[in-house]
Amino acid sequence: ASNQTQLLNIAQNYSGAIHNSIEHSVHQVEAVAADPTLLQLLLSNDTTRLRNEEARLKLQIPSALRVRILNKGITQPEPTAVPPLTHACLYLTQLAEEGKVPPVDIHGSPTPHIDIVRSIRRPETNEITGHLLVTLDLSRLTEMLGKLKTLGYLELKHKVLEEMHVLARAGSPA
């Protein structure tokens, strides 16, 4: 095989490993959102217990920067939160309320992160009662790239509109 074909195969293997890692996180968030105890907690409207559960889940989910249990219909951003609860996060909850599966959303600033939103539903009616928002630290991707064996230089890029943003890198540029 040509050198270019070999490089393409290596890049596909690396991207597959990263995809699998993110998919694992998505499945973990889906499992937590489907837990009936989380639904009962959300329905209780006990803010202290909700914040305690968010803190517990943040420790349980690898690379979590934030875990939020949000009510259905939330519309107000929280710009002072770290990372901020932005209109982009709220858009993900809106997509879920429209019956769509929100995509995994990657942001490079101000704190590089990945947002995953999944709905919390009543199992008997499938009615959405709220959402679980998990924000993962993007440095996790840099760590993953660093663990991959490479003799060269790797960059993971994300296209926003027409501009490419480097999310993670490993190795030494030539």
Side-chain angles (χ1 to χ4, degrees), residues 25 29 54-68 81-84 105 107-116 133-141 143:
S25 296
V29 171
E54 289 171 348
R56 186 187 75 75
L57 289 171
K58 181 179 173 189
L59 295 174
Q60 178 184 323
I61 299 171
S63 301
L65 285 174
R66 157 182 69 197
V67 174
R68 292 292 307 272
V82 178
D105 201 20
H107 298 276
S109 66
T111 304
H113 63 276
I114 300 169
D115 286 324
I116 304 169
L133 165 64
V134 176
T135 302
L136 302 176
D137 189 347
L138 201 54
S139 67
R140 170 181 175 197
L141 295 180
E143 290 171 17

Side-chain angles (χ1 to χ4, degrees), residues 66-93:
R66 157 182 69 197
V67 174
R68 292 292 307 272
I69 301 167
L70 304 168
N71 287 314
K72 177 182 175 182
I74 185 167
T75 59
Q76 291 301 314
E78 296 175 8
T80 59
V82 178
L85 183 64
T86 63
H87 287 286
C89 297
L90 298 176
Y91 177 69
L92 296 175
T93 65

Side-chain angles (χ1 to χ4, degrees), residues 6-46:
Q6 288 176 336
L7 289 175
L8 180 59
N9 288 337
I10 291 168
Q12 288 173 336
N13 288 337
Y14 287 162
S15 66
I18 292 167
H19 171 80
N20 290 342
S21 174
I22 293 171
E23 275 298 303
H24 175 76
S25 296
V26 169
H27 292 307
Q28 188 175 20
V29 171
E30 289 171 345
V32 171
D35 184 344
T37 57
L38 190 61
L39 171 65
Q40 292 308 313
L41 190 58
L42 180 64
L43 294 174
S44 77
N45 283 322
D46 185 331

